[in-house]
Amino acid sequence: MTRTELKTARDNFEMRSKYIKEATLAGLSTKEESTADQEKRIARLLKPHNYNEFFDYYFGVNTPTPLADAPCAKFHQSSYVKVYKDPFIVQFRRWFRGAAKSIHTNVGNMLHLKQNDLLYFALLIGRNEKAAKLLLGDIQAHLQNNERIIKDFGVQMQHGSWEGGQFETNDGRNFLGLGLNQPFRGLRVGQYRPDFASVDDCEDRKEAKNAELIQEKVEKITGDLKKAFHLHRGRLIIPNNYIVKNGLNDQLLEKFKGSSHLHVQTVNLRNKDGSPSWNERYTPQMVDDIDADTDYYTSQREDYNNPIEEGKLFKREWIRFRKVPKNVKWSAFIGFWDSS
């Protein structure tokens, strides 16, 4: 990260921190709640089947000044319940662009696991070191400034910072940001080995053309990272919509396809019946507008997890369809393929 990029990142972090503090502080001082009521509310929110309510209370629309623009979706809830229940899950979150993959995986899920004593050493893995530090900044901004979290769980930050790529909380939990191009082997902080890892948006269409590079990254995740996990738990989440074939997503899925802990969740912008999959946020008209304003190939990759590429010889609009005549015997079919 260059000096200019670091200054910009620091300024953004400070602005985000100020907004989080003000948004979550509002209402706390005037809200009357006994200690017993507070403990009862916290216990309810920490149940896995109440994850969406947990997220909306600490991060989302139920704060006085909303930090999110819509309530959570059903798929946010269902995906997390599987993460909560399976300590060795390998979950592919193939959610459409705009489905809040990062904020749920790297902030909401991690805090819920942490406060349930199911997370001690979390890894946030980005495409590179810069991306990883920015991801780390998202969770630090809340742990350090979210007054609702501080009121319910105490002051969080102990030492370290997203700028240095690592920090520790007062309850001894460690958060480390690494780029996929950095070394993973031998990861350990004191007695703790990693027990949660998010490989966030690490897919790249250009890199997918380099089979050797993809293989190297796959082996780092399945070998260096997966084998570094804690003996009794090691949750691996891959939040990345399906934008290219034979890339990191496909190769990782191939490696894990025999695992009983594998879970692939594909969420497109629309359900099969055409309705918005996140109907708490998107209206049918909004979805229609997104489709209309996006070219077909980009839309298929980013919104519908269908990584097709525009053909160089045959384009989609050139293809003509005709009804096949009935009661006709064919002596041969001739096909011409773009073998390049």
Short mmCIF file of all heavy atoms in Angstrom, two decimals, residues 97 205 241-243 290-291 293-310:
data_model
loop_
_atom_site.label_atom_id
_atom_site.label_comp_id
_atom_site.label_asym_id
_atom_site.label_seq_id
_atom_site.Cartn_x
_atom_site.Cartn_y
_atom_site.Cartn_z
N ARG A 97 -23.60 -10.14 -6.82
CA ARG A 97 -22.96 -8.89 -6.46
C ARG A 97 -23.97 -7.96 -5.80
O ARG A 97 -25.00 -7.65 -6.38
CB ARG A 97 -22.37 -8.23 -7.71
CG ARG A 97 -21.51 -7.01 -7.43
CD ARG A 97 -20.23 -7.39 -6.71
NE ARG A 97 -19.38 -8.23 -7.53
CZ ARG A 97 -18.26 -8.79 -7.07
NH1 ARG A 97 -17.88 -8.59 -5.84
NH2 ARG A 97 -17.52 -9.56 -7.87
N ARG A 205 -10.57 -13.07 -13.10
CA ARG A 205 -10.80 -13.66 -14.43
C ARG A 205 -9.51 -13.77 -15.23
O ARG A 205 -9.29 -14.73 -15.95
CB ARG A 205 -11.83 -12.83 -15.19
CG ARG A 205 -13.24 -12.89 -14.59
CD ARG A 205 -14.17 -11.96 -15.31
NE ARG A 205 -14.33 -12.34 -16.70
CZ ARG A 205 -14.65 -11.50 -17.67
NH1 ARG A 205 -14.80 -10.22 -17.40
NH2 ARG A 205 -14.80 -11.95 -18.90
N ASN A 241 -18.85 -14.59 -5.71
CA ASN A 241 -19.78 -15.07 -6.73
C ASN A 241 -19.00 -15.73 -7.87
O ASN A 241 -17.80 -15.50 -8.06
CB ASN A 241 -20.68 -13.94 -7.24
CG ASN A 241 -19.94 -12.71 -7.68
OD1 ASN A 241 -18.94 -12.31 -7.09
ND2 ASN A 241 -20.43 -12.10 -8.75
N TYR A 242 -19.68 -16.57 -8.62
CA TYR A 242 -19.07 -17.45 -9.61
C TYR A 242 -18.90 -16.69 -10.92
O TYR A 242 -19.81 -16.62 -11.73
CB TYR A 242 -19.96 -18.68 -9.78
CG TYR A 242 -19.40 -19.79 -10.64
CD1 TYR A 242 -18.03 -20.04 -10.71
CD2 TYR A 242 -20.25 -20.62 -11.35
CE1 TYR A 242 -17.53 -21.07 -11.48
CE2 TYR A 242 -19.77 -21.67 -12.12
CZ TYR A 242 -18.41 -21.88 -12.19
OH TYR A 242 -17.91 -22.91 -12.95
N ILE A 243 -17.70 -16.11 -11.14
CA ILE A 243 -17.51 -15.20 -12.27
C ILE A 243 -16.67 -15.78 -13.40
O ILE A 243 -16.59 -15.20 -14.48
CB ILE A 243 -16.86 -13.88 -11.80
CG1 ILE A 243 -15.47 -14.14 -11.20
CG2 ILE A 243 -17.76 -13.15 -10.82
CD1 ILE A 243 -14.69 -12.86 -10.88
N ILE A 290 -31.83 -3.25 -12.80
CA ILE A 290 -30.45 -3.75 -12.77
C ILE A 290 -30.17 -4.60 -14.00
O ILE A 290 -29.13 -4.46 -14.65
CB ILE A 290 -30.20 -4.56 -11.48
CG1 ILE A 290 -30.22 -3.64 -10.26
CG2 ILE A 290 -28.87 -5.32 -11.56
CD1 ILE A 290 -30.18 -4.37 -8.94
N ASP A 291 -31.11 -5.47 -14.34
CA ASP A 291 -30.94 -6.30 -15.54
C ASP A 291 -30.87 -5.45 -16.80
O ASP A 291 -30.04 -5.71 -17.69
CB ASP A 291 -32.11 -7.29 -15.66
CG ASP A 291 -31.97 -8.46 -14.70
OD1 ASP A 291 -30.86 -8.67 -14.17
OD2 ASP A 291 -32.97 -9.17 -14.48
N ASP A 293 -29.91 -2.39 -17.12
CA ASP A 293 -28.75 -1.49 -17.17
C ASP A 293 -27.41 -2.23 -17.24
O ASP A 293 -26.36 -1.60 -17.24
CB ASP A 293 -28.73 -0.58 -15.93
CG ASP A 293 -29.88 0.42 -15.95
OD1 ASP A 293 -30.42 0.67 -17.04
OD2 ASP A 293 -30.23 0.95 -14.88
N THR A 294 -27.46 -3.56 -17.29
CA THR A 294 -26.23 -4.36 -17.31
C THR A 294 -26.20 -5.20 -18.57
O THR A 294 -27.20 -5.83 -18.92
CB THR A 294 -26.16 -5.30 -16.08
OG1 THR A 294 -26.45 -4.56 -14.89
CG2 THR A 294 -24.79 -5.93 -15.97
N ASP A 295 -25.06 -5.22 -19.26
CA ASP A 295 -24.99 -6.06 -20.47
C ASP A 295 -25.12 -7.53 -20.09
O ASP A 295 -24.82 -7.93 -18.96
CB ASP A 295 -23.69 -5.80 -21.22
CG ASP A 295 -22.48 -6.39 -20.53
OD1 ASP A 295 -22.18 -7.57 -20.75
OD2 ASP A 295 -21.83 -5.66 -19.74
N TYR A 296 -25.56 -8.33 -21.03
CA TYR A 296 -25.94 -9.71 -20.76
C TYR A 296 -24.81 -10.52 -20.11
O TYR A 296 -25.02 -11.23 -19.12
CB TYR A 296 -26.38 -10.39 -22.05
CG TYR A 296 -26.75 -11.84 -21.88
CD1 TYR A 296 -27.98 -12.19 -21.32
CD2 TYR A 296 -25.88 -12.86 -22.25
CE1 TYR A 296 -28.33 -13.51 -21.15
CE2 TYR A 296 -26.23 -14.19 -22.09
CZ TYR A 296 -27.45 -14.51 -21.52
OH TYR A 296 -27.78 -15.83 -21.35
N TYR A 297 -23.61 -10.43 -20.64
CA TYR A 297 -22.52 -11.28 -20.16
C TYR A 297 -22.07 -10.87 -18.76
O TYR A 297 -21.79 -11.72 -17.92
CB TYR A 297 -21.35 -11.24 -21.15
CG TYR A 297 -21.72 -11.84 -22.48
CD1 TYR A 297 -22.15 -11.03 -23.53
CD2 TYR A 297 -21.70 -13.22 -22.68
CE1 TYR A 297 -22.54 -11.58 -24.75
CE2 TYR A 297 -22.08 -13.78 -23.89
CZ TYR A 297 -22.50 -12.95 -24.93
OH TYR A 297 -22.88 -13.50 -26.12
N THR A 298 -22.01 -9.56 -18.51
CA THR A 298 -21.67 -9.10 -17.16
C THR A 298 -22.75 -9.50 -16.18
O THR A 298 -22.46 -9.95 -15.06
CB THR A 298 -21.49 -7.56 -17.16
OG1 THR A 298 -20.44 -7.21 -18.04
CG2 THR A 298 -21.15 -7.08 -15.75
N SER A 299 -24.00 -9.34 -16.58
CA SER A 299 -25.12 -9.71 -15.72
C SER A 299 -25.08 -11.19 -15.35
O SER A 299 -25.28 -11.56 -14.18
CB SER A 299 -26.44 -9.39 -16.42
OG SER A 299 -27.54 -9.84 -15.66
N GLN A 300 -24.80 -12.05 -16.32
CA GLN A 300 -24.75 -13.48 -16.05
C GLN A 300 -23.65 -13.82 -15.05
O GLN A 300 -23.83 -14.65 -14.16
CB GLN A 300 -24.55 -14.26 -17.35
CG GLN A 300 -25.76 -14.28 -18.25
CD GLN A 300 -26.94 -14.97 -17.61
OE1 GLN A 300 -26.90 -16.16 -17.30
NE2 GLN A 300 -28.02 -14.22 -17.39
N ARG A 301 -22.50 -13.18 -15.19
CA ARG A 301 -21.38 -13.44 -14.28
C ARG A 301 -21.65 -12.88 -12.88
O ARG A 301 -21.51 -13.58 -11.88
CB ARG A 301 -20.09 -12.81 -14.81
CG ARG A 301 -19.44 -13.53 -15.96
CD ARG A 301 -18.03 -13.01 -16.18
NE ARG A 301 -17.99 -11.56 -16.36
CZ ARG A 301 -18.08 -10.94 -17.53
NH1 ARG A 301 -18.23 -11.66 -18.63
NH2 ARG A 301 -18.01 -9.62 -17.60
N GLU A 302 -22.01 -11.61 -12.82
CA GLU A 302 -22.07 -10.92 -11.54
C GLU A 302 -23.36 -11.15 -10.77
O GLU A 302 -23.35 -11.17 -9.54
CB GLU A 302 -21.88 -9.40 -11.76
CG GLU A 302 -20.57 -9.03 -12.44
CD GLU A 302 -19.36 -9.29 -11.55
OE1 GLU A 302 -19.53 -9.56 -10.35
OE2 GLU A 302 -18.22 -9.23 -12.08
N ASP A 303 -24.47 -11.31 -11.48
CA ASP A 303 -25.78 -11.39 -10.81
C ASP A 303 -26.41 -12.77 -10.83
O ASP A 303 -27.32 -13.04 -10.05
CB ASP A 303 -26.75 -10.40 -11.45
CG ASP A 303 -26.28 -8.96 -11.29
OD1 ASP A 303 -25.64 -8.66 -10.27
OD2 ASP A 303 -26.56 -8.13 -12.19
N TYR A 304 -25.91 -13.65 -11.75
CA TYR A 304 -26.58 -14.94 -11.89
C TYR A 304 -25.62 -16.13 -11.84
O TYR A 304 -26.00 -17.24 -12.20
CB TYR A 304 -27.40 -14.95 -13.19
CG TYR A 304 -28.55 -13.97 -13.12
CD1 TYR A 304 -28.44 -12.71 -13.68
CD2 TYR A 304 -29.71 -14.30 -12.45
CE1 TYR A 304 -29.47 -11.79 -13.58
CE2 TYR A 304 -30.75 -13.39 -12.35
CZ TYR A 304 -30.63 -12.14 -12.91
OH TYR A 304 -31.65 -11.23 -12.79
N ASN A 305 -24.40 -15.91 -11.37
CA ASN A 305 -23.44 -17.00 -11.16
C ASN A 305 -23.33 -17.92 -12.37
O ASN A 305 -23.26 -19.15 -12.25
CB ASN A 305 -23.84 -17.81 -9.91
CG ASN A 305 -23.63 -17.03 -8.63
OD1 ASN A 305 -22.51 -16.86 -8.17
ND2 ASN A 305 -24.72 -16.54 -8.07
N ASN A 306 -23.32 -17.32 -13.54
CA ASN A 306 -23.22 -18.07 -14.79
C ASN A 306 -22.07 -17.47 -15.60
O ASN A 306 -22.29 -16.56 -16.42
CB ASN A 306 -24.53 -17.98 -15.56
CG ASN A 306 -24.49 -18.79 -16.84
OD1 ASN A 306 -23.72 -19.74 -16.98
ND2 ASN A 306 -25.32 -18.41 -17.80
N PRO A 307 -20.84 -17.94 -15.41
CA PRO A 307 -19.67 -17.29 -16.01
C PRO A 307 -19.44 -17.61 -17.48
O PRO A 307 -18.50 -18.30 -17.86
CB PRO A 307 -18.52 -17.83 -15.15
CG PRO A 307 -18.97 -19.18 -14.75
CD PRO A 307 -20.46 -19.08 -14.56
N ILE A 308 -20.32 -17.10 -18.30
CA ILE A 308 -20.15 -17.30 -19.74
C ILE A 308 -19.33 -16.15 -20.31
O ILE A 308 -19.35 -15.04 -19.80
CB ILE A 308 -21.51 -17.40 -20.47
CG1 ILE A 308 -22.35 -16.15 -20.22
CG2 ILE A 308 -22.26 -18.65 -20.02
CD1 ILE A 308 -23.65 -16.13 -20.98
N GLU A 309 -18.62 -16.44 -21.37
CA GLU A 309 -17.79 -15.42 -22.02
C GLU A 309 -18.36 -15.12 -23.40
O GLU A 309 -18.86 -16.01 -24.09
CB GLU A 309 -16.35 -15.92 -22.16
CG GLU A 309 -15.66 -16.22 -20.83
CD GLU A 309 -15.36 -14.96 -20.03
OE1 GLU A 309 -15.35 -13.85 -20.63
OE2 GLU A 309 -15.12 -15.07 -18.81
N GLU A 310 -18.27 -13.89 -23.80
CA GLU A 310 -18.76 -13.50 -25.12
C GLU A 310 -17.90 -14.15 -26.19
O GLU A 310 -16.67 -14.03 -26.18
CB GLU A 310 -18.72 -11.98 -25.28
CG GLU A 310 -19.35 -11.48 -26.55
CD GLU A 310 -19.51 -9.97 -26.56
OE1 GLU A 310 -19.14 -9.32 -25.56
OE2 GLU A 310 -20.03 -9.45 -27.57
#
